[in-house]
Amino acid sequence: MATAPPLVDGTTVFSAESYFATQPPPTSLQLDVENVSGFIKRHAASGRNVVLVTSGGTTVPLELNVVRFLDNFSAGTRGATSAEYFLKSGYAVIFMHRQFSLQPFSRHYSHSTNPFLDFLEIEPPTSSATASAGAQIRIQPESHAELLSVLSAYKDVHAQGLLHTLTFVTVNDYLWLLRAISQEMGVLGRRGMYYLAAAVSDFFLPRQKMSEHKIQSGKGSLHIEMDQVPKVLKPMVEEWAREGYIVSFKLETDLNLLIPKARQALERYGHQVVIGNDLHHRKYRVVLGKKGGAEYTETWIETSPTAHTEIEEEIIRELMWRHQKWIEKGVVKS
Ligand code: 9Z3
């Protein structure tokens, strides 16, 4: 039976439990879980570390027959770039991303910033062949080395079966998938890492409050009261991924709030690392906060906009090292 969430001042307060009891799972969930389960078991058996990378923004539909939805800015750059560095470092990666957001490897040739077709040239046919039959496509010589390197890494990762990709669109898809995958990853014990870079909506419209059909404009202005998305980091730490190494992200636009909010998240949820970033400098500056007992420590990582390095390379290097220590600490020495 679905438990109705309690009401506070007329608005609904969803716990993770009441959320999952009242909001329906996406239709693809069972199949997605079956597919990812084989991937996890294979890598658990081989003793390889596995990371779940979440990436991109979530939508909040306003109607059941959805015409309109709320969305956010995230393109999935952080997640896609980080996934590549995890793969480079020997991790198997479950890449759970917003449909059509950036993906590892293909991100280098994103349609908006670096269109793939611009790297190709048409070589005219040599002699008597008709133009279309005889024309050849070739890569621009100056783009060849980079493309070869990206393509080789991509092919290698797929040949070794190291990357498993799943998609979400709505915040509801995201929450159901996150719970199911975290639970499946339990077999990895401490070898499982959770790198939660997706930009998840804080508010949503429960199914029970949604209009079935397109909201009509005839009534003038639109008033919608949204409920808070439950804080799922808590059950994730305490129930779904108890042995996992959990890294969450905190995004703010006001720098003065970043550190206090990051600390608050660590205190509230008790996970391993929170990475703070502010919207405008997120590509060049992040802070890794962690708690050890009562002590809070922070490590800043910075690159410059002109440097030819990606900040995710540094982040992953630091996390890998910390994750390794976490794994070793959990091994019972005989
Ligand atoms: C992040 O903070 C990511 O670093 C970004 C990356 C979304 C800023 P892009 O996709 O951006 O590269 O364009 N992600 C987490 C944001 C978030 O929703 N955090 C929640 C919060 O701040 C907590 S889990 O409350």
Side-chain angles (χ1 to χ4, degrees):
M1 259 293 276
T3 31
L7 292 174
V8 175
D9 297 336
T11 53
T12 314
V13 181
F14 281 92
S15 63
E17 202 187 357
S18 60
Y19 181 93
F20 289 113
T22 56
Q23 305 306 303
T27 48
S28 57
L29 185 70
Q30 205 184 335
L31 190 61
D32 282 345
V33 174
E34 275 167 30
N35 290 339
V36 81
S37 174
F39 180 86
I40 294 168
K41 286 191 182 121
R42 181 157 52 85
H43 291 297
S46 74
R48 194 184 279 274
N49 294 346
V50 179
V51 61
L52 168 68
V53 175
T54 72
S55 183
T58 58
T59 69
V60 178
L62 302 186
E63 298 126 341
L64 287 175
N65 288 290
V66 54
V67 173
R68 303 188 186 90
F69 53 85
L70 298 183
D71 202 351
N72 65 51
F73 69 95
S74 170
T77 310
R78 174 83 80 224
T81 310
S82 302
E84 258 180 52
Y85 285 108
F86 275 119
L87 287 162
K88 230 181 220 172
S89 314
Y91 278 70
V93 174
I94 300 167
F95 186 64
M96 178 179 144
H97 73 107
R98 163 74 180 278
Q99 186 184 37
F100 308 133
S101 67
L102 292 176
Q103 294 199 45
F105 307 111
S106 64
R107 74 176 174 104
H108 295 275
Y109 301 98
S110 122
H111 63 281
S112 51
T113 54
N114 221 1
F116 186 71
L117 294 180
D118 287 356
F119 294 89
L120 304 178
E121 284 172 352
I122 300 171
E123 240 173 40
T126 39
S127 55
S128 58
T130 62
S132 63
Q136 298 289 316
I137 297 171
R138 66 177 198 122
I139 315 272
Q140 274 180 347
E142 59 274 30
S143 312
H144 192 274
E146 197 199 333
L147 182 57
L148 184 63
S149 143
V150 174
L151 188 61
S152 307
Y154 170 81
K155 295 278 184 200
D156 194 41
V157 157
H158 283 282
Q160 291 191 62
L162 291 175
L163 176 62
H164 186 89
T165 300
L166 291 145
T167 58
F168 59 83
V169 177
T170 67
V171 64
N172 187 56
D173 299 342
Y174 170 89
L175 293 171
W176 277 96
L177 262 181
L178 181 68
R179 183 173 78 157
I181 297 172
S182 308
Q183 290 169 338
E184 290 295 313
M185 284 177 70
V187 294
L188 295 159
R190 290 199 168 212
R191 292 205 172 275
M193 196 203 283
Y194 302 79
Y195 183 85
L196 308 175
V200 183
S201 174
D202 284 322
F203 304 100
F204 81 114
L205 198 56
R207 199 179 170 82
Q208 295 73 7
K209 286 191 187 172
M210 270 191 216
S211 141
E212 184 184 351
H213 292 290
K214 184 182 165 215
I215 298 168
Q216 295 298 306
S217 61
K219 288 189 201 143
S221 56
L222 176 65
H223 297 268
I224 297 176
E225 187 173 47
M226 295 193 155
D227 290 279
Q228 241 195 1
V229 170
K231 304 289 180 199
V232 292
L233 256 176
K234 200 167 175 60
M236 192 164 178
V237 173
E238 292 175 0
E239 297 163 39
W240 310 342
R242 288 171 60 172
E243 285 193 281
Y245 192 82
I246 301 178
V247 181
S248 76
F249 279 78
K250 173 57 70 185
L251 173 73
E252 291 297 338
T253 53
D254 177 353
L255 245 193
N256 295 322
L257 287 180
L258 190 60
I259 301 291
K261 294 295 280 274
R263 283 186 78 149
Q264 192 186 64
L266 282 175
E267 261 147 38
R268 227 173 241 173
Y269 310 121
H271 57 303
Q272 283 68 40
V273 178
V274 60
I275 302 185
N277 51 181
D278 76 279
L279 184 67
H280 301 296
H281 302 99
R282 67 188 191 280
K283 290 187 181 4
Y284 315 110
R285 183 176 68 199
V286 298
V287 56
L288 275 61
K290 77 163 180 131
K291 270 201 85 193
E295 197 193 340
Y296 166 83
T297 50
E298 60 189 44
T299 310
W300 287 87
I301 298 179
E302 293 189 48
T303 59
S304 92
T306 51
H308 291 288
T309 54
E310 293 178 304
I311 197 165
E312 288 79 7
E313 184 171 12
E314 296 286 321
I315 298 175
I316 280 40
R317 188 181 300 135
E318 179 67 28
L319 288 178
M320 262 188 62
W321 174 77
R322 294 189 189 192
H323 185 204
Q324 195 50 42
K325 284 211 307 196
W326 164 260
I327 294 169
E328 285 161 12
K329 248 184 18 201
V331 173
V332 184
K333 304 239 161 51
S334 54

